[in-house]
Amino acid sequence: MDSPVARQGPAGAAAAPGAPAPVFAAIDLGTNNCRLLIARPLRENFRVIEAFSRIVRLGEGLSASGRLSEAAMARTIEALKICSEKMARRNVAIARAVATEACRRAANGAEFLHEVKTATGIDLDIISTQEEARLALAGCAPLLEPPHRQAIVFDIGGGSTEILWARLLSGGRTEVIDWISLPFGVVNLTERFGPGDSHSGSYGQMIDMVAEALQPFETKHELGPQLKTGFIQVLGTSGTVTTLAGVHLNLPRYERRHVDGCWLEFPTVIEQSRRLASLSVPDRALHPCIGEERADLVVAGCAILEALYRFWPATRLRVADRGVREGVLVELMRQRRRQQHGRRS
C-alpha cells in the first residue's frame, strides 16, 4: 500500500496542553471534481469546519488525446487556488492532496503537478487505484453496519470505478478482501458514447461494456449468490449515487444531510436511472439536483450502476456522500495520534 504523505507546518508539532486541536485538510482531485475538506479531530472522528467542491472536468478530452488540455488544467488550477486560500485562512497544519485517474493516465500529468505547485503551493500526490479504493473505504466505514459481515463498496468516478469487497470487523474496522478498478467513469464513457440515450441504444451499450469488464471479478468471488444471505451490505459513494438519491427524494436542492447515509431500494434506483436515460440532456438539467453541469454525465454513471446491479441485485443500497477526502483525513489523524502516543511512551 502507498503511505500517506502529509504536509506539516509549525502547527503540526506537538500541541501545548489545552491548545486547540490542529486543523487538517484533504484535497481529492478527480477526473471530474476538485474537492476540499477542512476539519478538526473530534475523539475518534472529526468535525468538518469547511468544505469546497467544484466540477473542473480535468479529464475532458483525455481519452482521445492522452493529455490534459490547457483549458482543463486552467480550470483546475483556479479551483485549487481557492482550496489553497481556504487552507491558509483556516491555518491548516497538516494536509494531503491526492490526484486520481486523470493524472494517472495523462502523459503530461507530472508537468501539471509542477504547474499546480508553482501556482498554488499545493503538492499533489498521484495515488494508485489500490490506494484510491482503500481511502474510499476508510472514508465510508462509519456507514457499514451490523448485522452485515461483509460489504461491496463502489466509487463511480470520472475516469474509473473502484469496487471493493470488504470484511467488517469489530470496533468499526474493515479489511479489504479483494478489489478491482474498472477503466470506466462518467467522463470517459460519455466521451465515447455521448450523453446516454435509451432510444438509440447507447445506454445499453455502456451497461454491456462495463458488465463485461466486471464479469471476471464476479466469476472469481460469486458475490451475487452470497447477497441472498442478507449479510452483505452494498454501499455506493460518488456523484452518481448522491445525485440519484437527491432526485429520488425529490429534493428542491441538493442537501447532504438528507442524502449521506440514506437507504434506497436498489430496484427503484435502477428504475430512476432508466427514466433519466429516456430524457434529453436539457430535460435532465431542469432537475435541481442534476443541473447543467451534470446533465450530460449522469446517465453514464447510471449505466455503471446498472451494470453493478446486473451482478449484485441487492434489495437496498446505502448512499454515501463521503469517500476519498474523508479517508485521507481519517488516516492523517490516526497517524498523528500514533506519533503523539509514541512521544508519550
Side-chain angles (χ1 to χ4, degrees):
M1 291 287 183
D2 301 288
S3 59
V5 178
R7 178 185 69 80
Q8 298 197 30
V23 179
F24 292 73
I27 295 174
D28 171 18
L29 178 60
T31 302
N32 195 44
N33 287 276
C34 175
R35 300 182 177 97
L36 165 72
L37 209 57
I38 301 175
R40 288 188 188 274
L42 182 65
R43 293 182 288 278
E44 294 301 309
N45 207 325
F46 54 82
R47 178 176 62 86
V48 175
I49 56 178
E50 188 159 356
F52 170 76
S53 178
R54 176 173 290 182
I55 293 177
V56 294
R57 300 201 182 200
L58 177 60
E60 188 174 63
L62 176 62
S63 298
S65 69
R67 299 178 62 84
L68 303 174
S69 72
E70 293 297 327
M73 289 191 291
R75 288 194 300 267
T76 304
I77 287 174
E78 287 306 307
L80 288 169
K81 285 180 180 177
I82 296 173
C83 294
S84 182
E85 291 164 3
K86 289 180 179 293
M87 290 162 64
R89 191 165 59 247
R90 293 288 187 174
N91 295 315
V92 168
I94 303 172
R96 189 184 187 202
V98 300
T100 56
E101 188 67 10
C103 291
R104 283 194 293 259
R105 287 191 188 183
N108 58 339
E111 299 168 31
F112 171 64
L113 264 60
H114 178 72
E115 289 187 35
V116 168
K117 174 65 175 177
T118 301
T120 70
I122 293 172
D123 283 307
L124 278 169
D125 178 20
I126 301 177
I127 59 174
S128 66
T129 55
Q130 184 178 20
E131 185 173 11
E132 182 179 359
R134 179 176 58 78
L135 288 171
L137 177 63
C140 294
L143 297 180
L144 301 174
E145 299 177 341
H148 304 104
R149 299 169 185 167
Q150 297 173 346
I152 297 170
V153 178
F154 61 86
D155 182 359
I156 301 172
S160 66
T161 295
E162 277 63 54
I163 302 162
L164 295 109
W165 178 29
R167 185 176 291 111
L168 309 189
L169 307 175
S170 61
R173 295 174 301 121
T174 58
E175 177 183 68
V176 176
I177 301 171
D178 201 0
W179 67 283
I180 186 173
S181 179
L182 305 180
F184 307 113
V186 298
V187 174
N188 55 16
L189 268 187
T190 299
E191 289 182 346
R192 179 164 184 165
F193 290 99
D197 181 351
S198 57
H199 305 297
S200 69
S202 64
Y203 180 62
Q205 290 171 353
M206 286 191 280
I207 296 170
D208 290 341
M209 176 176 283
V210 177
E212 183 179 359
L214 186 57
Q215 179 69 67
F217 190 79
E218 170 59 15
T219 300
K220 178 181 178 182
H221 297 297
E222 297 184 338
L223 295 178
Q226 295 184 57
L227 273 173
K228 297 176 183 176
T229 65
F231 292 118
I232 298 181
Q233 179 178 337
V234 179
L235 182 144
T237 168
S238 70
T240 295
V241 292
T242 56
T243 296
L244 285 170
V247 171
H248 176 73
L249 296 171
N250 201 30
L251 299 178
R253 66 180 184 282
Y254 185 83
E255 291 186 76
R256 182 182 186 275
R257 62 191 178 94
H258 292 304
V259 172
D260 184 50
C262 75
W263 288 91
L264 300 178
E265 299 298 315
F266 210 161
T268 304
V269 174
I270 296 303
E271 290 174 11
Q272 184 71 65
S273 297
R274 293 172 181 173
R275 188 182 74 81
L276 288 177
S278 71
L279 299 177
S280 67
V281 172
D283 284 342
R284 294 174 206 160
L286 293 176
H287 197 287
C289 290
I290 299 176
E292 292 184 4
E293 287 188 319
R294 293 188 181 275
D296 60 333
L297 301 176
V298 65
V299 168
C302 291
I304 295 171
L305 188 62
E306 186 154 354
L308 301 181
Y309 183 75
R310 182 178 292 183
F311 293 105
W312 305 320
T315 303
R316 296 199 302 165
L317 168 69
R318 195 165 200 190
V319 178
D321 186 348
R322 58 180 79 192
V324 170
R325 288 182 306 177
E326 287 80 1
V328 169
L329 287 176
V330 166
E331 291 205 343
L332 289 179
M333 292 178 187
R334 283 177 182 167
Q335 185 181 63
R336 178 177 171 79
R337 284 195 292 271
R338 285 195 299 267
Q339 291 170 348
Q340 290 178 319
H341 179 74
R343 283 194 291 266
R344 288 194 295 266
S345 299

